[in-house]
Amino acid sequence: MNVNEFEVRNGSTTSKVLVGLPISKIADYCKVTPSVLICDRALSERCSQAFSSTPIIDLKGGESIKSLSNLEALYKSLLELEIDRGSFALIIGGGTVCDMAALAASTFMRGIRFGLVPSTLLAQVDAAIGGKNGINFLGYKNIVGTINQPDFVVCDPSLLETLSQDTYLEGFSEIVKHALIRDKELFSLLENNTELLVKKNLQAVLDIISPAIKVKTEIVSSDQFEHGERMLLNFGHSVAHAIEHIRKISHGHAVSIGMIIEARISAELKGLPSSQIERISKLLRLLGLPTECLVEPDDIFDAILKDKKRRADQIYFAKLEKIGNAKIISLSLKDLKELLHAVC
Ligand SMILES: NC(=O)c1ccc[n+]([C@@H]2O[C@H](COP(=O)([O-])OP(=O)(O)OC[C@H]3O[C@@H](n4cnc5c(N)ncnc54)[C@H](O)[C@@H]3O)[C@@H](O)[C@H]2O)c1
């Protein structure tokens, strides 16, 4: 068993990310005895085999789980199981279950200890790492939540075997994002292995999960509360969240489209050379991801007004300088509106 370890540093404490650890080895390796498993229903059979004597709360994964009423139902289940402040919750699922259940664990009894086992590619490289959790409220995405690190995150690539091809491929949008903002070698690695990756070759997947996680853990460790560098991780996401709001498409697909629009905006702002936009677009298409906008610029702009990243009449924008390098700039909403009209 070859486990690759990364760290998210948070002041004096450290949260580990363990890549390549099978879920059946978590209790021994991480020295924990979970009091409860909170898992995606798609995985409950596998979870109950790995943790036969632990009570399970299973949840139907998907964006609709991230609601106040589902959070309330989860608190109720935790009370019924007599979970107390000394309990440990092991959360196993995609980004939606991880986001909602980590918020429950962070707030129930003012916070109990928990570990995350992300089960989609998107959650393994992104959603489960960095301590952000949350639910949606009144149409605002991730508007209620906390930043609170789990004790550990375990990425077991074999969990991806049962994922639908569409959901699996969506995870590449966040991997491409990590490559674009910080790691041009990762971008080339993706370009050179698209065929194996699309076929879900688990060794090829493991080889790209690790560098993608390294980008995220380094950025989060340098800026846990998103006052500076962490905003780079929002590349593609201002537009993506707007598109998700309007079209109800998946997060991964919205991020793919969002990255192309924000790459074009970066080129308009004299950052990314426009010749590189086609290179990014080609990689996304080969990975089975959409790149066409499909939404009116005014609708995107109106939805961005609801975004957490907005500050009065400005928005922090991750501007791509070149493949592998981005920086944060402040953009007026007026300029953003014009730019959206120029590129959509
Ligand atoms: N907290 C963060 O920093 C952060 C970052 C990025 C994205 N997110 C959030 O992540 C969410 C998207 O997560 P996602 O893409 O993992 O989607 P998801 O959680 O909705 O999972 C997609 C589907 O796959 C199923 N599934 C999950 N694991 C499976 C498995 N191993 N086998 C078979 N089916 C499985 C789920 O039941 C669901 O139907 C969004 O809500 C987004 O806001 C959070």
Side-chain angles (χ1 to χ4, degrees):
M1 182 175 67
N2 190 10
V3 180
N4 232 343
E5 295 201 7
F6 299 90
E7 284 182 357
V8 175
R9 288 180 303 282
N10 164 27
S12 55
T13 60
T14 296
S15 169
K16 280 198 185 305
V17 182
L18 306 164
V19 182
L21 180 69
I23 56 167
S24 56
K25 306 274 187 232
I26 290 176
D28 281 349
Y29 197 96
C30 302
K31 298 184 180 54
V32 287
T33 309
S35 324
V36 59
L37 298 186
I38 305 174
C39 80
D40 192 307
R41 200 159 291 164
L43 291 152
S44 47
E45 210 178 302
R46 191 155 173 194
C47 293
S48 54
Q49 281 163 8
F51 297 90
S52 53
S53 54
T54 312
I56 294 189
I57 300 171
D58 66 353
L59 304 172
K60 190 174 180 316
E63 202 58 37
S64 58
I65 194 73
K66 289 173 59 171
S67 72
L68 209 47
S69 57
N70 285 315
L71 182 68
E72 196 180 323
L74 181 51
Y75 288 142
K76 196 160 169 266
S77 302
L78 293 172
L79 278 173
E80 281 163 5
L81 288 172
E82 298 182 355
I83 296 301
D84 61 32
R85 292 183 87 175
S87 300
F88 188 96
L90 192 63
I91 299 166
I92 306 174
T96 54
V97 167
C98 286
D99 270 6
M100 198 279 270
L103 172 59
S106 300
T107 47
F108 185 74
M109 299 206 174
R110 299 206 177 95
I112 59 169
R113 290 174 56 215
F114 67 100
L116 294 177
V117 184
S119 64
T120 63
L121 183 60
L122 186 139
Q124 293 192 347
V125 297
D126 194 18
I129 297 169
K132 280 188 184 176
N133 56 54
I135 53 167
N136 309 322
F137 185 60
L138 297 181
Y140 291 79
K141 178 120 171 122
N142 299 328
I143 198 82
V144 177
T146 74
I147 297 183
N148 180 35
Q149 301 297 339
D151 281 22
F152 56 77
V153 177
V154 167
C155 294
D156 174 355
S158 77
L159 292 179
L160 306 179
E161 276 164 358
T162 52
L163 264 190
S164 72
Q165 184 68 357
D166 266 1
T167 306
Y168 163 70
L169 290 177
E170 278 173 36
F172 284 101
S173 58
E174 301 288 359
I175 298 176
V176 171
K177 179 194 77 181
H178 290 173
L180 285 172
I181 60 173
R182 192 40 99 67
D183 188 345
K184 65 178 191 315
E185 282 83 22
L186 175 57
F187 194 87
S188 303
L189 194 65
L190 286 161
E191 286 182 314
N192 296 333
N193 289 283
T194 47
E195 228 169 282
L196 284 175
L197 292 169
V198 169
K199 284 186 187 149
K200 220 193 259 186
N201 176 300
L202 286 189
Q203 186 54 53
V205 178
L206 198 54
D207 290 344
I208 54 119
I209 287 179
S210 286
I213 287 177
K214 185 164 180 279
V215 170
K216 178 123 190 202
T217 52
E218 282 178 0
I219 291 180
V220 171
S221 295
S222 70
D223 176 24
Q224 197 194 177
F225 292 104
E226 199 167 304
H227 298 308
E229 187 159 3
R230 187 166 184 167
M231 285 191 268
L232 291 176
L233 293 165
N234 292 330
F235 175 67
H237 281 61
S238 298
V239 171
H241 286 162
I243 294 177
E244 263 179 289
H245 185 71
I246 303 161
R247 295 282 303 230
K248 308 280 175 250
I249 66 171
S250 71
H251 183 69
H253 284 184
V255 169
S256 178
I257 298 166
M259 286 194 292
I260 288 300
I261 295 176
E262 294 191 22
R264 288 189 193 136
I265 291 178
S266 299
E268 290 284 321
L269 292 167
K270 310 276 177 267
L272 184 76
S274 39
S275 58
Q276 307 245 292
I277 296 172
E278 183 43 34
R279 192 175 158 202
I280 301 169
S281 215
K282 184 174 169 202
L283 175 62
L284 291 169
R285 283 196 306 271
L286 287 173
L287 291 168
L289 294 165
T291 54
E292 295 299 317
C293 178
L294 312 169
V295 180
E296 292 302 317
D298 282 335
D299 293 339
I300 297 178
F301 180 76
D302 289 345
I304 284 179
L305 296 181
K306 287 185 164 188
D307 198 298
K308 294 192 296 305
K309 291 177 283 301
R310 183 168 74 85
R311 299 278 182 282
D313 61 348
Q314 302 280 318
I315 187 156
Y316 290 114
F317 179 79
K319 175 186 169 201
L320 212 53
E321 297 292 323
K322 57 184 179 183
I323 290 174
N325 185 5
K327 74 174 187 193
I328 298 299
I329 61 165
S330 172
L331 203 56
S332 74
L333 292 177
K334 180 176 163 290
D335 288 349
L336 177 67
K337 191 168 191 174
E338 282 170 17
L339 284 160
L340 283 169
H341 274 272
V343 303
C344 286

